[in-house]
Amino acid sequence: MQFMLLFSRQGKLRLQKWYVPLCDKEKKKITRELVQTVLARKPKMCSFLEWRDLKIVYKRYASLYFCCAIEDQDNELITLEIIHRYVELLDKYFGSVCELDIIFNFEKAYFILDEFLLGGEAQETSKKNVLKAIEQADLLQEVTQECQTPPFTMKMNI
Amino acid sequence: MPAPIRLRELIRTIRTARTQAEEREMIQKECAAIRSSFREEDNTYRCRNVAKLLYMHMLGYPAHFGQLECLKLIASQKFTDKRIGYLGAMLLLDERQDVHLLMTNCIKNDLNHSTQYVQGLALCTLGCMGSSEMCRDLAGEVEKLLKTSNSYLRKKAALCAVHVIRKVPELMEMFLPATKNLLSEKNHGVLHTSVVLLTEMCERSPDMLAHFRKLVPQLVRILKNLIMSGYSPEHDVSGISDPFLQVRILRLLRILGRSDDDSSEAMNDILAQVATNTETSKNVGNAILYETVLTIMDIKSESGLRVLAINILGRFLLNNDKNIRYVALTSLLKTVQTDHNAVQRHRSTIVDCLKDLDVSIKRRAMELSFALVNGNNIRGMMKELLYFLDSCDPEFKADCASGVFLAAEKYAPSKRWHIDTIMRVLTTAGSYVRDDSVPNLIQLITNSVEMHAYTVQRLYKALLDDISQQPLVQVASWCIGEYGDLLVSGQCEEEEPIQDEVLDVLEGLLVSNLSTPVTRGYSLTAIMKLSTRFTSVNRIKKVVSIYGSTSLILYCCNDPISSWISFNFHLTECPLSVCQTFQLQLLSPSSNVVPALNQGTVTQVIRVLNPQKQQLRMRIKLTYTLKGSPVQDLAEVNNFPPQSWQ
């Protein structure tokens, strides 16, 4: 996978994960073009399209579009499963996830993605294991915070 | 100084902005606050500030001033700081900027951290955005982690190694020892990432490929266990056990079995098993079948297996899910050359896909349809394809027209059918045919001698209906110029036009706004040629004199019988004339009057560009009046010295 984009039906970017080195300008250009292309697709069309020399796999969940760019030799159908797995992970973590969860907790969405995929490939195929790792990391975050925080101030959240 | 506002509070605030300007103002205010906080080297709130910066970056605002802060966060001992720091690095830094190299040392330390989640962060960042320099520096650490017994780290190290190899292929060798026992792992995460690593190595190096072929039996066993094992809740997706791993193994088998008979044989049974036993009701099962088909088609599989694969694709074509139909068409396109007969059996389903609503499916169905046309099915297929040409979107028309011409040329059952087909394309998609089809069609028509009368009649009729489609007009003009005599002489089946009507039409093309300069050239040349075939010579001369003195390109045919240039002394200067094999430039004649009684000559220089070194021949026609009567004199010059054209 070369990159994954999450965006709303109005074209607002909610998450961008790039697995290829590109400058900010290029990323913006690609994002703009691709968002426009995907939003122009009609509901009856299939989830795949050719764009530049890549294959784009996209699926809409509620108000969010999940869009992945894969290479020629990659399997489009399993990419749909990858997207679905990520949505399931978000759903389990946030409890019936909606777009607002991703907006207000974008950093967590990234953390979850980074426990599921690495360098564009799945690193863990067990839903349970990904969620367990996130849970442990979250705990670690809280524990170390509590050690650092002076006793009379409020618990620090970012 | 008050504490900087929290991330989620900032998000809430920014979302209340009603205009872009209002949002920009809020962002600028917050950025200013963050900047001064950074300047004060505030450790406590750095994490919070960078997180806010990342949010604003996602909205499209510049955040480069936070880059160094990310590095400071990474270097911190707090896990929260590291988490945000690494995230920031992945979002804000890129390998083109030298500043990213400052991460290297931190990553090195974190790869050796006592907490696996910190090591995980480092591996993830390196595997996502590590530059070649970083990869070179840290490959050793990654290799160490690839050998650890901690599966959480081992799986990440494997994918990190994939990235290192992609950036610095020479380092591949050093990971070889660590791959020894990767497939003996029980942990699916490690198995999956190991298969990805092995795939990467095999794809990049023929030596590695040869070395890893011995893993085929082990891979087959793992795949078999996945299929045969009972319900495993941890890896189950709709009743299938770890489809992600199955697909990756199938892909690795493909690479190992390619061009190797023994390996292909060793995997034959398992492929047949997967192909027949996988549940097809959901996308996940079809994803596995798809990968299986790709593998079967690519390795040296026996014919029974190949037919099985094509039949799977045939079933895919009938699936309600358009995604499945799409991949079926894509795969069939890849195999149509090698397994032509097997794909032919699904021809009618493929042709049905021409009517699909999805553009990508239509395009593939069109490409596949052309690939399946042969002498036996040409009539039926062409019917469908011409219907498609009529109704398809403009983006398809050029390719479809070209495809029709090619197919017709190869398999036309009769000349008449061929001409009719061409006519149909020119009249329905005439403005979309490619420029080079015009000379090709002209050649085709020239060679179909018995069809000349029929062709020119039909083309003439088409012109009466519509002169907007340039390729049609050009071919029609050319035909009328060549075979105009057949058009008016009663050799056609229908009512024939008279000479003046034909000239009206051609002249109409000259003046029409719809005609391009190229088209005007064609029609002018046609008119000139008709001066030998028609009797209304005066009218022709008049037209030529009006238009001949402006810059036009003249088109000629390279058929020696009919190739000639007509010129009279009213044509003072003619710029580059182009035809298929020659380029001619006629310069001004030395005089407009030939002196009487052989007292002088008129010379006109003709420059000929003859790149194909074709033999030069010239026909000269002189028309003059002698004692009040018109005289025509034709002469041929065939004895140009060879040096002039060789």
Side-chain angles (χ1 to χ4, degrees):
Chain A
M1 193 186 299
Q2 289 205 0
F3 57 84
M4 181 191 286
L5 303 173
L6 265 67
F7 50 91
S8 71
R9 284 193 292 168
Q10 288 77 40
K12 293 214 115 166
L13 198 60
R14 299 302 180 204
L15 185 145
Q16 48 173 332
K17 189 73 190 179
W18 299 85
Y19 297 109
V20 287
L22 291 166
C23 65
D24 233 18
K25 205 166 120 190
E26 260 295 310
K27 288 182 190 170
K28 280 201 168 129
K29 183 161 177 262
I30 291 173
T31 305
R32 206 171 33 236
E33 257 180 63
L34 206 48
V35 167
Q36 212 174 20
T37 308
V38 171
L39 288 178
R41 302 273 289 181
K42 303 193 192 71
K44 281 212 193 303
M45 297 176 135
C46 70
S47 306
F48 314 129
L49 59 105
E50 299 100 23
W51 184 82
R52 300 197 184 178
D53 60 339
L54 296 168
K55 302 200 276 198
I56 305 294
V57 179
Y58 72 93
K59 190 148 183 201
R60 201 182 113 195
Y61 288 85
S63 59
L64 267 182
Y65 282 89
F66 288 70
C67 184
C68 297
I70 58 175
E71 289 166 355
D72 203 47
Q73 64 273 35
D74 294 327
N75 182 325
E76 294 96 320
L77 298 180
I78 206 73
T79 307
L80 278 175
E81 295 298 322
I82 297 263
I83 292 176
H84 191 72
R85 173 58 62 89
Y86 181 44
V87 172
E88 284 179 323
L89 291 166
L90 291 169
D91 200 51
K92 208 61 200 272
Y93 183 83
F94 288 108
S96 249
V97 68
C98 62
E99 193 185 340
L100 276 177
D101 290 319
I102 315 261
I103 294 170
F104 278 92
N105 302 282
F106 71 94
E107 85 279 11
K108 300 215 171 84
Y110 277 108
F111 296 154
I112 294 169
L113 186 61
D114 286 343
E115 277 300 328
F116 174 42
L117 303 178
L118 199 157
E121 304 280 350
Q123 61 181 281
E124 180 57 67
T125 57
S126 152
K127 224 184 323 189
K128 189 177 93 182
N129 285 350
V130 175
L131 291 167
K132 202 163 66 179
I134 290 288
E135 207 182 315
Q136 296 290 333
D138 281 351
L139 263 171
L140 190 60
Q141 192 170 311
E142 274 182 43
V143 166
T144 53
Q145 269 172 188
E146 279 179 10
C147 291
Q148 305 286 350
T149 324
F152 299 114
T153 57
M154 282 173 60
K155 184 161 122 176
M156 196 182 328
N157 290 316
I158 51 170
Chain B
M1 176 155 178
I5 68 167
R6 295 211 164 117
L7 169 66
R8 307 200 209 287
E9 208 181 302
L10 177 70
I11 297 176
R12 206 171 294 126
T13 311
I14 290 177
R15 284 170 63 79
T16 63
R18 277 161 300 166
T19 65
Q20 186 73 28
E22 214 183 312
E23 183 186 274
R24 212 176 305 132
E25 211 185 297
M26 292 178 183
I27 302 271
Q28 273 169 1
K29 193 164 146 229
E30 185 58 34
C31 276
I34 292 176
R35 276 184 137 112
S36 49
S37 188
F38 284 164
R39 269 196 298 271
E40 288 167 22
E41 294 287 346
D42 185 320
N43 289 338
T44 327
Y45 295 109
R46 181 176 289 122
C47 178
R48 180 183 294 187
N49 285 326
V50 168
K52 287 186 287 185
L53 205 53
L54 293 179
Y55 177 73
M56 296 188 284
H57 176 253
M58 182 143 65
L59 292 179
Y61 296 93
H64 46 271
F65 60 92
Q67 285 170 357
L68 278 173
E69 304 300 313
C70 292
L71 296 173
K72 291 178 197 166
L73 284 175
I74 292 173
S76 157
Q77 283 314 304
K78 276 158 64 171
F79 185 65
T80 316
D81 283 355
K82 283 189 190 287
R83 247 185 159 181
I84 296 292
Y86 277 117
L87 179 61
M90 286 192 274
L91 288 174
L92 299 182
L93 293 174
D94 77 73
E95 57 178 56
R96 283 155 226 253
Q97 302 149 333
D98 286 336
V99 74
H100 84 280
L101 288 168
L102 297 170
M103 266 199 291
T104 315
N105 220 36
C106 280
I107 295 186
K108 188 168 190 174
N109 291 336
D110 283 344
L111 285 173
N112 292 300
H113 203 275
S114 51
T115 311
Q116 68 176 15
Y117 297 106
V118 174
Q119 291 172 291
L121 287 175
L123 281 167
C124 179
T125 307
L126 183 59
C128 171
M129 61 164 294
S131 63
S132 322
E133 300 97 317
M134 282 171 69
C135 287
R136 257 185 246 275
D137 284 342
L138 301 169
E141 306 298 325
V142 176
E143 196 259 345
K144 239 171 26 189
L145 289 170
L146 193 50
K147 298 192 285 216
T148 177
S149 54
N150 179 333
S151 49
Y152 176 78
L153 292 174
R154 208 167 182 206
K155 72 189 186 196
K156 290 178 192 276
L159 289 181
C160 200
V162 171
H163 180 83
V164 168
I165 291 171
R166 283 182 185 155
K167 293 305 260 194
V168 193
E170 309 88 80
L171 292 175
M172 185 165 31
E173 288 281 330
M174 76 182 278
F175 292 106
L176 185 55
T179 62
K180 206 147 180 268
N181 295 314
L182 280 177
L183 291 185
S184 330
E185 266 275 359
K186 290 280 179 278
N187 179 292
H188 281 225
V190 178
L191 270 176
H192 185 271
T193 59
S194 302
V195 172
V196 174
L197 175 58
L198 292 169
T199 307
E200 186 71 28
M201 292 168 99
C202 290
E203 276 177 332
R204 282 183 182 271
S205 155
D207 288 337
M208 291 288 183
L209 178 59
H211 171 81
F212 284 125
R213 279 223 173 89
K214 60 178 192 266
L215 294 177
V216 170
Q218 206 173 354
L219 288 164
V220 168
R221 251 195 328 272
I222 298 172
L223 191 51
K224 195 162 188 157
N225 284 337
L226 284 172
I227 302 168
M228 306 299 272
S229 68
Y231 176 66
S232 152
E234 199 175 330
H235 298 106
D236 180 272
V237 180
S238 303
I240 295 179
S241 189
D242 207 336
F244 304 106
L245 182 56
Q246 288 195 37
V247 165
R248 277 330 288 234
I249 291 179
L250 286 163
R251 184 160 153 185
L252 179 55
L253 285 174
R254 176 153 83 247
I255 291 160
L256 295 172
R258 214 182 256 161
S259 37
D260 188 81
D261 290 320
D262 290 333
S263 303
S264 299
E265 208 190 303
M267 55 182 83
N268 193 80
D269 285 348
I270 192 67
L271 290 173
Q273 212 178 345
V274 176
T276 31
N277 291 340
T278 306
E279 183 64 49
T280 61
S281 55
K282 294 247 173 78
N283 178 66
V284 62
N286 289 321
I288 294 173
L289 280 176
Y290 176 39
E291 196 75 34
T292 310
V293 166
L294 291 177
T295 299
I296 292 174
M297 299 318 292
D298 218 7
I299 63 170
K300 298 194 162 248
S301 42
E302 45 177 64
S303 61
L305 199 55
R306 292 181 87 84
V307 171
L308 182 60
I310 303 272
N311 288 343
I312 291 176
L313 293 179
R315 275 203 308 276
F316 273 8
L317 280 180
L318 299 167
N319 197 303
N320 282 330
D321 186 340
K322 43 192 152 14
N323 294 333
I324 309 286
R325 294 203 297 278
Y326 175 93
V327 302
L329 288 169
T330 309
S331 313
L332 284 169
L333 208 47
K334 288 193 193 135
T335 67
V336 70
Q337 302 305 334
T338 46
D339 294 84
H340 192 88
N341 292 332
V343 180
Q344 278 285 0
R345 276 187 228 123
H346 303 278
R347 194 177 67 241
S348 56
T349 324
I350 292 168
V351 166
D352 279 341
C353 291
L354 286 171
K355 306 189 184 93
D356 203 292
L357 292 162
D358 185 294
V359 159
S360 307
I361 290 181
K362 270 206 275 242
R363 175 165 286 282
R364 273 162 176 67
M366 180 183 82
E367 284 174 39
L368 204 43
S369 298
F370 279 121
L372 290 174
V373 171
N374 61 29
N376 293 328
N377 59 36
I378 178 77
R379 283 187 196 267
M381 287 296 276
M382 200 50 81
K383 227 164 150 189
E384 299 281 352
L385 289 164
L386 286 172
Y387 179 75
F388 176 70
L389 181 63
D390 268 342
S391 54
C392 69
D393 295 327
E395 62 182 287
F396 288 115
K397 293 215 194 239
D399 289 332
C400 191
S402 295
V404 168
F405 286 151
L406 258 162
E409 204 176 304
K410 273 201 261 187
Y411 303 112
S414 74
K415 285 232 151 77
R416 177 159 174 161
W417 181 96
H418 196 171
I419 303 279
D420 281 343
T421 305
I422 291 171
M423 289 291 310
R424 177 85 182 267
V425 175
L426 288 179
T427 48
T428 56
S431 15
Y432 297 97
V433 304
R434 294 201 232 280
D435 291 337
D436 63 350
S437 30
V438 172
N440 290 341
L441 289 174
I442 287 175
Q443 188 70 51
L444 174 71
I445 294 169
T446 310
N447 293 338
S448 317
V449 177
E450 69 275 22
M451 300 299 304
H452 287 168
Y454 175 72
T455 309
V456 69
Q457 175 223 331
R458 288 212 56 195
L459 284 169
Y460 178 74
K461 266 194 77 194
L463 270 191
L464 293 178
D465 283 331
D466 175 16
I467 60 167
S468 66
Q469 305 198 79
Q470 302 303 293
L472 171 65
V473 174
Q474 288 165 17
V475 175
S477 304
W478 184 88
C479 274
I480 296 171
E482 279 296 304
Y483 314 121
D485 47 330
L486 299 175
L487 182 60
V488 302
S489 68
Q491 293 199 15
C492 308
E493 292 160 12
E494 313 207 350
E495 199 180 294
E496 67 271 10
I498 59 170
Q499 291 183 10
D500 274 328
E501 284 173 342
V502 176
L503 289 171
D504 281 343
V505 170
L506 289 176
E507 250 187 272
L509 296 174
L510 277 177
V511 301
S512 166
N513 287 335
L514 297 166
S515 299
T516 62
V518 167
T519 304
R520 292 205 182 102
Y522 269 96
S523 45
L524 181 63
T525 311
I527 294 174
M528 282 163 53
K529 285 188 198 170
L530 286 175
S531 64
T532 57
R533 295 177 169 89
F534 281 8
T535 53
S536 355
V537 178
N538 285 329
R539 177 176 174 177
I540 291 175
K541 268 206 252 186
K542 194 155 155 234
V543 170
V544 172
S545 69
I546 292 169
Y547 292 96
S549 52
T550 59
S551 58
L552 279 177
I553 300 170
L554 301 180
Y555 279 79
C556 323
C557 168
N558 67 352
D559 172 2
I561 294 167
S562 55
S563 69
W564 54 275
I565 309 286
S566 137
F567 61 92
N568 60 37
F569 295 119
H570 290 289
L571 268 173
T572 51
E573 198 171 275
C574 202
L576 225 49
S577 306
V578 178
C579 67
Q580 287 193 320
T581 50
F582 300 109
Q583 279 189 342
L584 299 161
Q585 189 183 14
L586 293 113
L587 303 178
S588 309
S590 57
S591 151
N592 269 357
V593 180
V594 180
L597 302 172
N598 279 341
Q599 276 172 26
T601 54
V602 171
T603 31
Q604 181 167 31
V605 175
I606 305 173
R607 288 209 189 109
V608 182
L609 191 63
N610 181 9
Q612 291 178 32
K613 307 233 185 279
Q614 297 270 347
Q615 185 182 7
L616 282 181
R617 264 192 280 216
M618 187 163 80
R619 262 193 201 165
I620 287 187
K621 194 168 89 167
L622 295 171
T623 47
Y624 54 92
T625 47
L626 181 62
K627 294 185 176 139
S629 319
V631 181
Q632 250 185 35
D633 215 344
L634 265 173
E636 241 184 68
V637 181
N638 282 329
N639 55 352
F640 283 100
Q643 303 93 289
S644 65
W645 48 272
Q646 269 174 359

